[in-house]
Amino acid sequence: MHIPPAAPGARGKVWFVGAGPGDPELITLKGQRLLAQAGAVLFAGSLVNEAVTRFAPAGCEVRDSSRMALQEMTDWLTQQARRHATVVRLQTGDPALYGALIEMARPLSAAGIEWAVVPGVSSAMAAMAAAGESLTLPEVTQTVVLTRVAGRTPMPEGEDLAALAAHRCTLCIFLSITLLHKVQAALRQAGWAEDAPMLVVHKASWAQQERIVRGTLADIKERCRQAGIVSQAMIVASPTLGALHWPDLAHSRLYDPAFTHRFRKASA
């Protein structure tokens, strides 16, 4: 495929593309199309499945950013945008979630480089899909919190996990598998029962690498230790977990035959 260069004196466009959780087929069609016409691709090699870069054409310059500092990354993207019409920065999951998107976009804007974002499938959704679970259920919870616990990056005031867990909704906890003891402590502080169900999914959607661990607040850390899960894992605490096997379940009003909406009149 011919890779169009940037016009002389012009600047190309940098696309921040969500590569999804791991499975190359979970990238969006738009993301795949942009990769197919890219002249340069910078991918987060410590997290993004390298197989996703195979959508790039022959002759495309593909570079792994895992050993690069932020300044090196933005300098490289700026240089490539002066050579190519389309430059792709591949980020794990969705670029807007823990992706340093604004940190990279600000220098590009300052340099007069146009940029845009293509959303991607988050590991939170992929983890629940892998486990056959639902983030929300009628009359159980209609709220999902995407968060993390404080590690080297502190949490802003008012966003500690215990405060969020007090809502008793679905918690998708990123970047915290090595701090699982802190997760347990926060849930206990918020009053969650020791037998509250918990789910950990390692490398959700990665072929031959995905692992699913189910447990309770009391034993999830030990189960993960036994499974050897120490990185790239989504932690989910939710009152919806295990609903497939509940004896009773509240149903959505949308599909109730006695419920009228603009596409269907009630039949009873």
Side-chain angles (χ1 to χ4, degrees):
M1 176 179 176
H2 173 67
I3 304 170
R11 292 180 173 87
K13 187 169 182 176
V14 174
W15 293 87
F16 293 90
V17 174
D23 182 348
E25 293 186 338
L26 288 180
I27 193 171
T28 64
L29 288 172
K30 184 169 185 176
Q32 184 179 340
R33 176 178 60 78
L34 288 166
L35 278 174
Q37 66 189 47
V41 174
L42 184 66
F43 76 104
S46 58
L47 297 169
V48 172
N49 189 341
E50 190 173 4
V52 183
T53 66
R54 295 172 193 163
F55 292 122
C60 176
E61 184 170 350
V62 179
R63 184 164 177 184
D64 181 351
S65 67
S66 58
R67 297 183 181 276
M68 300 168 72
L70 179 66
Q71 184 71 52
E72 294 176 88
M73 293 163 61
T74 55
D75 285 349
W76 192 88
L77 291 170
T78 300
Q79 292 163 8
Q80 297 303 321
R82 290 178 176 140
R83 297 176 54 213
H84 302 287
T86 302
V87 177
V88 171
R89 162 60 179 171
L90 264 182
Q91 299 196 206
T92 185
D94 180 273
L97 273 172
Y98 307 110
L101 170 64
I102 301 304
E103 296 169 57
M104 284 186 278
R106 280 165 58 94
L108 295 177
S109 293
I113 304 296
E114 187 180 1
W115 59 273
V117 180
V118 177
V121 177
S122 168
S123 59
M125 286 64 182
M128 295 299 268
E133 298 283 359
S134 179
L135 289 162
T136 61
L137 282 175
E139 300 181 29
V140 178
T141 183
Q142 297 288 285
T143 302
V144 180
V145 174
L146 308 180
T147 189
R148 61 177 296 174
V149 296
R152 286 183 292 182
T153 300
M155 291 297 289
E157 186 177 353
E159 291 188 18
D160 61 281
L161 185 58
L164 299 174
H167 295 289
R168 302 299 180 92
C169 58
T170 295
L171 303 170
C172 295
I173 307 165
F174 291 70
L175 307 168
S176 303
I177 192 63
T178 60
L179 302 171
L180 197 45
H181 61 288
K182 288 189 176 182
V183 173
Q184 289 174 303
L187 295 183
R188 286 172 176 139
Q189 184 181 339
W192 288 52
E194 289 296 306
D195 63 355
M198 294 191 67
L199 171 72
V200 171
V201 181
H202 170 73
K203 287 197 167 185
S205 83
W206 289 65
Q208 284 82 55
Q209 296 186 61
E210 177 185 275
R211 285 183 290 168
I212 299 171
V213 176
R214 297 179 183 271
T216 64
L217 175 57
D219 66 14
I220 192 65
K221 181 182 176 184
E222 177 59 21
R223 287 177 180 269
C224 287
R225 187 194 68 78
Q226 292 175 0
I229 296 176
V230 295
S231 66
Q232 286 182 258
M234 173 58 56
I235 304 167
V236 181
S238 175
T240 68
L241 293 174
L244 184 67
H245 306 291
W246 293 353
D248 297 298
L249 188 71
H251 290 187
S252 170
R253 299 287 183 180
L254 181 62
Y255 305 112
D256 189 323
F259 184 81
T260 295
H261 55 71
R262 67 191 182 97
F263 294 103
R264 187 190 68 230
K265 289 186 177 181
S267 59

